[in-house]
Amino acid sequence: MSVSPTARTSAGLLRGSVEHGVSMFRAVPYAAPPVGARRFAMPAPVAAWTGERDATRNGPVPPQPPSRLRAAMGDFAAEQGEDCLTLTIATPAADKRRRPDLIWLHGGAFWTGAGSEEHTSELQSRP
């Protein structure tokens, strides 16, 4: 049984998971949700939270039309929503050592994809 990794951010504590030997933190907010009055405004700082935030599951992906590749690859079944200003962060270990982090940002031209797409199957933890 592996212990869930935790990481402290300026907004609060995150509880992640270990996937393929890599510490993963999913749906980590980097700005306040762009909804309501914030919809077309500049990003605002994320509000701090108390306790541990569950960072083990992906959040919504940016709203987008059906994929042009769905006939060949199938439908994209992820939840969509405007509260999508989040990161997926992978690191070899969540400790006090200086380690590389991988941060997946989605660049689908407002048309397709998400930063939470699976990219860790070939990564392995290294001491």
Side-chain angles (χ1 to χ4, degrees), residues 50-63:
T50 58
E52 284 185 346
R53 182 183 183 103
D54 180 9
T56 61
R57 292 183 300 271
N58 293 325
V61 301

Side-chain angles (χ1 to χ4, degrees), residues 7-8 13 18 21 34 41 45 48 60 62 65 68 71 74 76 78 81 90 95 102 116 124-125:
R8 180 160 305 281
L13 191 64
V18 176
R68 296 172 293 178
F76 187 66
D95 56 20
L102 295 176
S116 56
Q124 295 181 4
S125 179

Side-chain angles (χ1 to χ4, degrees), residues 93-111:
D95 56 20
K96 298 214 183 260
R97 292 182 56 193
R98 294 180 75 108
R99 296 187 181 268
D101 293 332
L102 295 176
I103 302 173
W104 304 111
L105 296 173
H106 143 305
F110 305 111
W111 188 259

